[in-house]
Amino acid sequence: MCRLYGFRASEPTKVECSLVHAQNALMAQSRADMTEGRPHGHGWGVVTYADELPRVERQAWAAYQGEHFRRVAARAYSDTVLAHVRRATVGSPGIENTHPFVHGRWAFAHNGTVRNFEQVRMRMLEAMSPLHRDEIDGTTDSEHIFRLLLSLHDQDPGRPLIQTLRLCLRLVIDWSREVEPKAKTSLNVLWTDGEQLLGSKWHRSLWYLEREGVHECEICGLPHVHHHRDAAYRAVEVASEPITDERWLQVPDGTVYTVDPDMRIRFELIEEETAPAAAS
């Protein structure tokens, strides 16, 4: 499986330690399962935001090969960051299949697999707008989810994004079950427009950390922000595995979540219309 990383903060922040230097940084995670011959060596990508638009750097080789990922991580200074390391399950290795995917102000990454994707793919294409159907570049289930998500948002732009995300995931899950009732699709996604960060946990490992106040990094010993003392600082990190020795919490399975404007994470169930699950 792939590995995900998402970050949202009240002001621009360096995330180099989380991507490269921490005890279980994303680059370390990209070597995971190497002893079983399953390292995450099929590509990596990092998205940061500047002037309200995503800046993406992607390569189709492993993050731990060469210095390019380290250099990109060292420059990553933003209030919103997505990062991804890939182990291909659907779609061959190649830059067109490398996450995160971007369109306009939107960025998206996925960890998991849509079971019976070839059959489900036709249903997804039918539900997309012609624009997003025609702009698919690669062959991954992930890019198809992204384009379906954007199509659903375009159909009802006033609908809260978390509801659009839930609708998209429920469609994909239901279509997969129509082909194989016991199919275990896995859908951990990250989706952002640079101002809102949303995601899901569906049958894959996912953790989160909420930070309040500027602190000295336990890895480099320095704060990662140029902070104004009169402002409150808050941040949320989401990752496939805990990155540091801090108090990371598991994201509840079967949920979608959003990072609210006050930088607190809020959960809602995917398959039932219930009250939001409370964050710990």
Side-chain angles (χ1 to χ4, degrees):
M1 71 180 176
C2 307
R3 295 290 190 269
L4 290 174
Y5 174 80
F7 179 83
R8 181 82 179 110
S10 55
E11 59 188 273
T13 306
K14 286 182 66 66
V15 297
E16 179 183 6
C17 287
S18 291
L19 298 181
V20 175
H21 302 300
Q23 296 93 331
N24 193 33
L26 192 68
M27 190 167 74
Q29 293 180 35
S30 74
R31 297 188 182 96
D33 304 322
M34 186 175 290
T35 57
E36 300 178 17
R38 297 187 291 118
H40 303 86
H42 298 146
W44 58 267
V46 177
V47 164
T48 57
Y49 275 78
D51 300 323
E52 300 182 352
L53 290 174
R55 294 182 177 178
V56 60
E57 297 203 44
R58 302 186 297 175
Q59 294 295 338
W61 60 72
Y64 52 83
Q65 292 177 340
E67 292 296 316
H68 195 177
F69 181 80
R70 290 178 179 271
R71 290 197 297 270
V72 170
R75 296 195 300 268
Y77 178 72
S78 179
D79 55 11
T80 305
V81 180
L82 295 191
H84 184 275
V85 292
R86 183 173 186 237
R87 185 170 72 83
T89 56
V90 177
S92 60
I95 196 67
E96 72 281 1
N97 288 331
T98 302
H99 310 220
F101 302 101
V102 297
H103 174 82
R105 70 183 189 275
W106 302 102
F108 176 89
H110 169 222
N111 172 21
T113 302
V114 176
R115 299 298 177 189
N116 306 298
F117 174 60
E118 284 307 312
Q119 295 97 316
V120 174
R121 177 176 175 270
M122 299 310 299
R123 300 290 299 272
M124 298 174 75
L125 291 173
E126 290 171 359
M128 289 180 202
S129 67
L131 168 66
H132 292 297
R133 189 185 309 124
D134 293 343
E135 290 200 355
I136 295 173
D137 291 326
T139 56
T140 63
D141 49 356
S142 308
E143 187 181 11
H144 283 70
I145 296 168
F146 180 41
R147 292 295 176 172
L148 175 60
L149 186 56
L150 294 181
S151 296
L152 293 171
H153 174 64
D154 289 347
Q155 291 169 14
D156 188 356
R159 178 171 49 204
L161 293 182
I162 194 167
Q163 294 182 18
T164 299
L165 178 59
R166 181 198 289 118
L167 172 60
C168 178
L169 299 180
R170 289 176 69 168
L171 287 171
V172 173
I173 292 165
D174 288 346
W175 290 335
S176 181
R177 287 172 175 167
E178 287 178 8
V179 179
E180 182 184 349
K182 294 185 178 180
K184 197 169 184 180
T185 284
S186 44
L187 292 169
N188 282 15
V189 308
L190 286 171
W191 183 38
T192 185
D193 62 355
E195 295 183 356
Q196 301 181 70
L197 176 65
L198 304 98
S200 65
K201 181 180 187 291
W202 186 262
H203 302 326
R204 281 287 189 264
S205 169
L206 195 66
W207 298 73
Y208 73 98
L209 175 69
E210 292 181 303
R211 288 198 179 98
E212 185 166 6
V214 177
H215 75 294
E216 292 183 351
C217 172
E218 63 180 38
I219 306 304
C220 68
L222 299 172
H224 289 167
V225 296
H226 302 300
H227 183 63
H228 191 285
R229 293 184 178 181
D230 294 335
Y233 178 83
R234 282 191 61 87
V236 175
E237 283 187 289
V238 179
S240 296
E241 301 174 12
I243 287 175
T244 64
D245 290 335
E246 296 166 273
R247 186 173 176 263
W248 289 75
L249 301 173
Q250 289 195 61
V251 174
D253 198 24
T255 61
V256 286
Y257 59 87
T258 182
V259 179
D260 288 339
D262 62 356
M263 302 302 150
R264 297 181 187 275
I265 194 166
R266 178 172 61 86
F267 304 102
E268 297 182 10
L269 295 175
I270 292 174
E271 288 204 299
E272 296 180 25
E273 298 293 340
T274 65
S280 299

